[in-house]
Amino acid sequence: MNSVNPFDTKSGNRPVILSGIQPTGGLHIGNLFGAIKNWVAMQDEYQCFFTIVDLHSITIKQVPAELRRNTLEMTAMLIACGIDTDKSVLFVQSHVPEHAQLAWVLNCYTGMGELSRMTQFKDKSVQHSENIVVGLFAYPVLMAADILLYQADMVPVGEDQKQHLELSRDIAQRFNHNYSDTFKIPEPYIPQTGARIMSLQEPTKKMSKSDGNTKATIFLTDSDEEIKNKIRRAVTDSGELLTEKDFEIFSVNQESFSEFIYSRPGLGNLISLYQLATSKSLNEIGKDLAGKGFGDIKSIVADAMANHLNPTRTRYNEIRKDENKLKEILSAGAEKAHAVAFKTLRKVYKKVGFYAL
Ligand code: TRP
């Protein structure tokens, strides 16, 4: 029984974190530094559930063989990045049927009007106007089910998912109020160091996997050469060279660095990348980059990023090769997730009045 109950750990009842990621396309450094590194850092302090949300991905048309491959690749990459399946529960959403089951019930406790206000639905229905399906409309309800099934205390979310989390809270509160306490009301988790990585080609835009310009995005599977080439060709602005004094000011006054990034997004992005790749302080970075021209700066950042990503990619290639092992990991994850999800769903079915056998 121990092996299927993730709460039977020596550290006792740690607060629960749940987060999800879609298996559409590969992970890039924006995901790594913006989300995954935070997931990795939370694993000791929290009981974490990380789910690869394949049910969500079919709200947009997918090529079946690609979705299947991406799911496996995402699993391998998350492990390569440091998700430790001895500490955290890593699973694929469709392997745990309770997600779809709870989503159906919650659909009956969510207003059409509430869902019509979701900005992601509005944006995506413009982008995919040829195929606006009911699932896309109900997407946030499935996300609420993901979160509420595990009685998550906190959900690490980026800016774009805050509205969905707010809706999850509303649905949970409504259900609790209608019946009795059933769901924990989840709080947003705002990481202390949420890095925002910008496109290498249009540095005022967030780096994204669906960028039409492949030079704009560094994927974790890119080779050293690809990484270096993309950084060497990054778009920068023309402007003054930075001095060591500038970096000293940045290091004592975070706001001045933010303002700098705002006014010189291309160079600012490169400095942030260097900071993330080397974990150096801004003061130390000044010693490496001050007085240098864009060409030199790009080469230094390119080498640092290639070195930083290389071990992860090596681990990934190793893990990805052993599909049987990956299957074992996912089936253990699904079993642990199911053990928790099942209890919540059973309560819900009882409260809404389903006749139990
Ligand atoms: N909607 C999220 C995204 O696109 C992914 C997601 C699905 C998620 N279920 C979740 C995130 C539950 C946090 C919690 O990024």
Side-chain angles (χ1 to χ4, degrees), residues 26 92 95 122 170 173 178 211 213 254 277 292 302 336:
V92 173
H95 294 167
K122 292 189 221 171
D170 291 344
Q173 266 154 352
N178 257 291
D211 202 305
N213 187 343
Q254 186 58 43
K292 299 232 159 58
K336 289 181 194 168

Side-chain angles (χ1 to χ4, degrees), residues 18-22 53 56 139 143 146-147 155 157 161:
L18 179 129
S19 201
I21 190 159
Q22 292 205 36
V53 292
H56 277 107
Y139 178 114
M143 179 165 160
D146 298 341
I147 298 166
V155 180
V157 277
Q161 297 297 316

Side-chain angles (χ1 to χ4, degrees), residues 203-262:
T204 50
K205 268 182 24 191
K206 240 173 80 173
M207 186 176 280
S208 144
K209 61 184 154 197
S210 51
D211 202 305
N213 187 343
T214 52
K215 294 203 297 272
T217 308
I218 296 178
F219 289 95
L220 303 186
T221 46
D222 284 351
S223 68
D224 285 353
E225 268 327 292
E226 285 169 317
I227 296 167
K228 289 182 192 175
N229 282 333
K230 286 178 184 179
I231 294 180
R232 287 199 198 109
R233 286 179 201 144
V235 168
T236 43
D237 33 70
S238 51
E240 308 265 302
L241 297 183
L242 287 168
T243 62
E244 269 195 58
K245 183 81 196 148
D246 291 324
F247 282 96
E248 277 165 33
I249 296 172
F250 294 160
S251 71
V252 291
N253 180 352
Q254 186 58 43
E255 206 154 298
S256 72
F257 185 50
S258 306
E259 275 166 28
F260 171 77
I261 291 180
Y262 189 73

Side-chain angles (χ1 to χ4, degrees), residues 85-247:
T85 54
D86 289 332
K87 293 179 186 162
S88 301
V89 183
L90 174 65
F91 67 101
V92 173
Q93 190 187 30
S94 68
H95 294 167
V96 182
E98 285 83 359
H99 290 253
Q101 293 172 305
L102 180 60
W104 175 257
V105 175
L106 299 182
N107 272 328
C108 303
Y109 294 81
T110 308
M112 295 287 285
E114 284 181 298
L115 289 179
S116 318
R117 285 194 289 277
M118 295 293 121
T119 56
Q120 191 171 72
F121 171 71
K122 292 189 221 171
D123 294 346
K124 286 198 183 174
S125 40
V126 173
Q127 276 166 34
H128 305 274
S129 54
E130 75 300 338
N131 185 42
I132 307 173
V133 296
V134 176
L136 185 64
F137 190 65
Y139 178 114
V141 183
L142 178 59
M143 179 165 160
D146 298 341
I147 298 166
L148 302 178
L149 274 176
Y150 301 92
Q151 308 289 351
D153 293 280
M154 276 182 289
V155 180
V157 277
E159 213 37 63
D160 63 326
Q161 297 297 316
K162 274 198 184 146
Q163 197 187 26
H164 289 166
L165 181 60
E166 199 49 51
L167 179 76
S168 304
R169 290 166 53 88
D170 291 344
I171 296 172
Q173 266 154 352
R174 183 173 311 141
F175 194 96
N176 286 354
H177 184 78
N178 257 291
Y179 302 98
S180 57
D181 269 356
T182 309
F183 299 122
K184 179 82 84 24
I185 309 300
E187 301 286 336
Y189 176 95
I190 315 289
Q192 295 111 318
T193 52
R196 214 172 128 79
I197 308 296
M198 311 310 280
S199 155
L200 296 175
Q201 293 296 315
E202 276 176 84
T204 50
K205 268 182 24 191
K206 240 173 80 173
M207 186 176 280
S208 144
K209 61 184 154 197
S210 51
D211 202 305
N213 187 343
T214 52
K215 294 203 297 272
T217 308
I218 296 178
F219 289 95
L220 303 186
T221 46
D222 284 351
S223 68
D224 285 353
E225 268 327 292
E226 285 169 317
I227 296 167
K228 289 182 192 175
N229 282 333
K230 286 178 184 179
I231 294 180
R232 287 199 198 109
R233 286 179 201 144
V235 168
T236 43
D237 33 70
S238 51
E240 308 265 302
L241 297 183
L242 287 168
T243 62
E244 269 195 58
K245 183 81 196 148
D246 291 324
F247 282 96

Side-chain angles (χ1 to χ4, degrees), residues 294-312:
F294 291 127
D296 288 342
I297 291 182
K298 285 180 193 172
S299 290
I300 296 172
V301 176
D303 289 348
M305 188 53 75
N307 286 341
H308 180 73
L309 297 178
N310 185 296
T312 304

